Amino acid sequence: QVLSHNLYTVLCIPHDPVALEEHFRDDDDGPVSSQGYMPYLNKYILDKVEEGAFVKENFDELCWTLTAKKNYKPDRNGNSVVSHQDAFKLWCLFNFLSEDKYPLVMVPDEVEYLLKKICTAMNVELNSCELDDYLSQEPQGQAGLTVWQFLDMVNSGRFLRGIEQEAISMAVEEVYQEVIEDGYLWKRGQLRRNWSERWFMLKPSVLSYYMSEERKEKKGSIALDKHCCVEVLPDRDGKRCMFCVKTSSRTYEMSASDTRQRQEWTLAIQTAIRLQAEGKKSLHKDLKQKRREQREQREQRKAAKEEETQRLKQLQEEKERKLQELELLKEAQRQAEILLKEEEQRRRQQHEEMQRTLEIQLREAEQARASMQAEMVLKEAEAERQRKRILELEDMQERLQEALQQEVKARQDEEAVRYAQARLLAEEEEKLKELMKLKEEQEEYIIKTQREKQVLKQEMENKNKCLEEAQKQLEEVRVNRQRVDQDVMAAQRKLRQASTNVKHWNVQMNRLMHPIGPGDKRTNVSGGVFAGYQPLLSRRDSSLK
């Protein structure tokens, strides 16, 4: 009744003592077991709880009060590393980071994560090797540490050795406020515009503020959605480290104690707005879920690797077993061949002995017949006995033939067995040949690829050589062209000079061909004298052209 009353009060549920009496009406004689109380707890208390209708820290304090007195065992001499209040905060952090199944345990990765955050807040490096040694001493069947084992480990001083309790308390408080997301801020009023110090508590959907950290008197709340934003403001009115939260209806101005606290609050509020837009509840829960998924992926990869190793081991064992069976089959075949040879030799010896015996008996029979022919009349009875003996020998011969046929049949059966063994060996050889063929094809493909690479390389070298030769020929053509151009220009100069000379000689010849004279006779003579110059001039002109 006391426990139920306290739960009703802390969870802000109307008291219903009649339901308790009705639930345990038939169980008044004996004590109340935990199995009997759990249905009542689920039905009449937990099912009636509304999200946000109660203060979670009060509920945590109630649970800590109920469990710590029996399970938490600090040092009686007052030499504990953490105080009672810090132990409560570590207990809250443990409940937040533990696995979501009962009994609650914290896996080694989360233990290391929490201790690293505390050591980082104190600017101290965590000794991971010593932590691994401590965790390796825990029972093998346990998946992690319980909250009381975790508190005992912290109080042992192995990981926080030489650090003052005040520094540890400040580090625990810093990590607690980071994870729980609450703390003091200065807030400016909307009507009177004065500054008041309020205790703020951040959740993904709302930023609530109270008169003090006891959170008994709630002063208001700021609804956070995807339309909200956070902006940093310059210092003014004697306030520093200011920032504001803008909603669709109002702008809230706030001031932090230092720049670091302002950065933490702005980042936390922006993260809460983003988580609200994504439909998530808490940044640290999201990070915790991601770390859990990473652990599960590592475990899956490790299990897959172990399964692959086991499968390879089984394949190796299967291969060795088949090789042993093959060796046994080969040994059995050799033994069978040896036994077959021995049996065949023994039967041959028996056959030879029997044949010799028959030959001896036949010779004796012939001798007896010769003697009987001489004494036919006297020894008729003896001849009759000899005939009977011959019949017996013939019967024995038939039996020998049957034995030989049975031997032939046994040999045929043996040959069939040998043929089956040979067929198995042939199949094994074919498989080996296929493997060798695949290996040869692979080698041929590699050689072919190398050859093609060499051919391509040779072709590139030939093309480069051809290109170089073409360039050289082009240079030679250019040089020849320049030389020909020079020759043409020289020939043109000579032609112009020759044309000038021809014109000069034509003038001289014209003068010589028309001299000034007094009479016609001289004219005829002069005409006859210079008449031979005209063909000569025409010939010179043609040669010059």
Side-chain angles (χ1 to χ4, degrees):
Q1 288 179 354
V2 173
L3 175 61
S4 302
H5 181 81
N6 283 301
L7 289 174
Y8 278 124
T9 303
V10 171
L11 296 175
C12 300
I13 302 173
H15 292 257
D16 191 2
V18 179
L20 182 65
E21 296 294 337
E22 290 292 331
H23 184 77
F24 295 105
R25 181 175 54 187
D26 299 332
D27 196 15
D28 292 338
D29 297 334
V32 179
S33 63
S34 60
Q35 289 82 3
Y37 185 71
M38 290 303 294
Y40 169 77
L41 177 65
N42 291 325
K43 182 177 180 181
Y44 293 99
I45 298 178
L46 297 182
D47 289 347
K48 297 179 180 179
V49 176
E50 295 181 1
E51 184 69 24
F54 66 97
V55 180
K56 185 177 181 301
E57 284 68 22
N58 295 338
F59 180 73
D60 290 339
E61 290 177 358
L62 174 62
C63 295
W64 168 256
T65 304
L66 293 173
T67 56
K69 186 175 182 181
K70 180 179 179 181
N71 299 288
Y72 180 53
K73 299 176 182 178
D75 189 79
R76 295 182 178 179
N77 297 324
N79 297 325
S80 298
V81 176
V82 296
S83 63
H84 193 78
Q85 186 64 23
D86 294 335
F88 165 68
K89 294 177 181 178
L90 290 175
W91 180 83
C92 294
L93 293 171
F94 179 92
N95 291 332
F96 183 82
L97 297 175
S98 60
E99 298 299 302
D100 298 333
K101 56 184 179 179
Y102 189 82
L104 296 180
V105 294
M106 187 188 294
V107 297
D109 291 342
E110 295 296 329
V111 174
E112 184 177 4
Y113 169 77
L114 180 56
L115 290 177
K116 278 185 177 179
K117 289 192 73 67
I118 295 174
C119 291
T120 304
M122 296 184 294
N123 295 325
V124 178
E125 186 176 359
L126 177 66
N127 191 348
S128 301
C129 297
E130 190 172 359
L131 177 61
D132 294 338
D133 294 338
Y134 182 86
L135 295 175
S136 63
Q137 298 175 2
E138 297 298 325
Q140 295 293 332
Q142 188 171 335
L145 294 179
T146 63
V147 63
W148 313 116
Q149 291 174 342
F150 174 71
L151 292 176
D152 291 341
M153 180 186 69
V154 174
N155 278 323
S156 65
R158 295 182 60 177
F159 309 104
L160 303 175
R161 191 180 297 112
I163 303 175
E164 297 181 357
Q165 187 176 7
E166 184 178 357
I168 297 173
S169 179
M170 292 175 64
V172 172
E173 177 67 22
E174 181 178 348
V175 175
Y176 177 79
Q177 290 186 6
E178 179 184 352
V179 175
I180 305 303
E181 297 171 349
D182 56 2
Y184 278 109
L185 288 174
W186 286 89
K187 175 184 170 296
R188 191 170 190 176
Q190 184 179 9
L191 299 177
R192 292 188 295 174
R193 309 299 290 172
N194 60 333
W195 290 91
S196 303
E197 190 176 24
R198 296 287 183 259
W199 179 265
F200 281 80
M201 185 175 69
L202 176 63
K203 293 184 179 180
S205 59
V206 64
L207 177 62
S208 304
Y209 50 95
Y210 300 83
M211 180 65 72
S212 63
E213 58 182 307
E214 284 78 14
R215 286 175 292 186
K216 294 181 180 179
E217 183 181 354
K218 184 175 182 180
K219 301 299 291 183
S221 60
I222 304 172
L224 301 177
D225 53 22
K226 61 182 180 180
H227 302 292
C228 298
C229 64
V230 182
E231 294 182 0
V232 177
L233 300 177
D235 298 342
R236 64 173 183 269
D237 299 336
K239 290 293 179 181
R240 52 190 299 273
C241 302
M242 294 178 59
F243 65 96
C244 67
V245 179
K246 290 185 178 181
T247 64
S248 58
S249 59
R250 180 182 169 186
T251 299
Y252 297 86
E253 296 183 3
M254 284 163 277
S255 172
S257 59
D258 53 20
T259 306
R260 181 171 175 269
Q261 188 181 14
R262 178 178 67 179
Q263 183 179 3
E264 290 177 354
W265 272 103
T266 54
L267 181 61
I269 295 172
Q270 289 173 353
T271 305
I273 294 172
R274 178 177 59 82
L275 293 175
Q276 176 67 16
E278 294 176 358
K280 298 179 180 179
K281 294 184 177 180
S282 173
L283 172 63
H284 292 281
K285 288 184 179 179
D286 188 28
L287 296 175
K288 173 185 171 184
Q289 183 64 27
K290 289 182 179 178
R291 292 195 298 272
R292 181 181 299 171
E293 291 175 356
Q294 292 176 356
R295 288 198 301 272
E296 292 176 354
Q297 291 176 359
R298 288 199 300 269
E299 292 175 357
Q300 290 176 0
R301 288 195 296 267
K302 184 178 179 181
K305 187 175 180 181
E306 292 178 353
E307 184 179 355
E308 182 69 17
T309 305
Q310 188 67 21
R311 188 175 65 82
L312 291 175
K313 185 177 179 181
Q314 291 178 357
L315 290 174
Q316 185 67 22
E317 292 176 353
E318 184 69 19
K319 183 178 179 181
E320 292 177 357
R321 185 177 61 79
K322 288 184 177 179
L323 290 175
Q324 291 177 358
E325 290 179 356
L326 184 59
E327 291 294 333
L328 291 174
L329 287 174
K330 289 181 179 179
E331 184 66 24
Q333 183 179 1
R334 288 195 295 269
Q335 294 293 335
E337 289 177 354
I338 294 171
L339 292 175
L340 182 62
K341 289 179 180 179
E342 292 178 355
E343 183 69 20
E344 186 177 359
Q345 186 177 2
R346 185 177 59 80
R347 289 179 180 177
R348 189 181 294 111
Q349 290 177 357
Q350 291 178 356
H351 183 69
E352 290 176 356
E353 290 177 358
M354 191 174 294
Q355 189 174 3
R356 286 195 298 270
T357 303
L358 288 174
E359 288 177 356
I360 293 170
Q361 290 178 357
L362 286 173
R363 284 195 299 269
E364 290 177 355
E366 288 177 358
Q367 292 175 1
R369 181 182 291 179
S371 61
M372 285 174 67
Q373 286 177 358
E375 299 175 355
M376 183 67 69
V377 178
L378 300 175
K379 296 183 177 180
E380 238 176 278
E382 186 67 19
E384 188 69 19
R385 287 196 299 272
Q386 290 295 333
R387 282 194 296 271
K388 290 180 180 180
R389 187 171 181 82
I390 289 170
L391 292 173
E392 290 175 358
L393 291 173
E394 289 176 354
D395 188 17
M396 186 179 294
Q397 187 176 4
E398 290 177 357
R399 289 198 298 272
L400 286 174
Q401 289 179 355
E402 291 176 357
L404 288 173
Q405 291 178 357
Q406 292 178 357
E407 183 180 358
V408 170
K409 185 177 180 182
R411 188 173 297 175
Q412 290 176 353
D413 295 336
E414 183 180 355
E415 288 179 354
V417 172
R418 292 177 62 185
Y419 175 76
Q421 292 178 351
R423 182 170 56 80
L424 291 175
L425 291 174
E427 292 177 354
E428 186 70 22
E429 289 177 356
E430 288 178 358
K431 290 181 180 179
L432 291 174
K433 288 179 180 179
E434 290 177 357
L435 290 175
M436 294 299 292
K437 185 177 180 181
L438 289 174
K439 186 176 180 182
E440 290 175 358
E441 290 177 356
Q442 187 178 7
E443 292 176 353
E444 290 177 359
Y445 181 75
I446 292 172
I447 293 170
K448 182 179 178 181
T449 305
Q450 292 178 353
R451 288 178 180 174
E452 291 177 354
K453 185 177 179 181
Q454 292 177 356
V455 169
L456 290 174
K457 186 175 180 181
Q458 188 66 29
E459 289 179 357
M460 288 179 67
E461 291 177 356
N462 293 334
K463 289 181 179 180
N464 290 331
K465 289 180 180 179
C466 292
L467 182 60
E468 291 176 357
E469 291 177 358
Q471 290 178 352
K472 289 180 180 179
Q473 292 177 1
L474 181 60
E475 292 294 331
E476 291 176 358
V477 169
R478 288 178 180 174
V479 172
N480 292 332
R481 182 180 177 182
Q482 291 177 0
R483 190 183 300 115
V484 169
D485 292 337
Q486 292 176 359
D487 294 341
V488 169
M489 291 174 67
Q492 289 177 355
R493 286 194 300 271
K494 290 179 181 180
L495 182 60
R496 287 193 298 269
Q497 186 67 30
S499 177
T500 304
N501 293 333
V502 168
K503 290 179 181 180
H504 176 71
W505 283 107
N506 284 332
V507 171
Q508 295 296 328
M509 289 297 292
N510 288 328
R511 287 180 182 178
L512 291 174
M513 293 193 59
H514 298 284
I516 300 173
D520 294 332
K521 185 176 181 179
R522 186 158 186 164
T523 303
N524 292 331
V525 174
S526 65
V529 173
F530 293 100
Y533 284 97
Q534 187 67 29
L536 178 62
L537 181 61
S538 63
R539 285 197 298 270
R540 290 185 63 182
D541 192 12
S542 63
S543 65
L544 287 172
K545 289 181 180 180

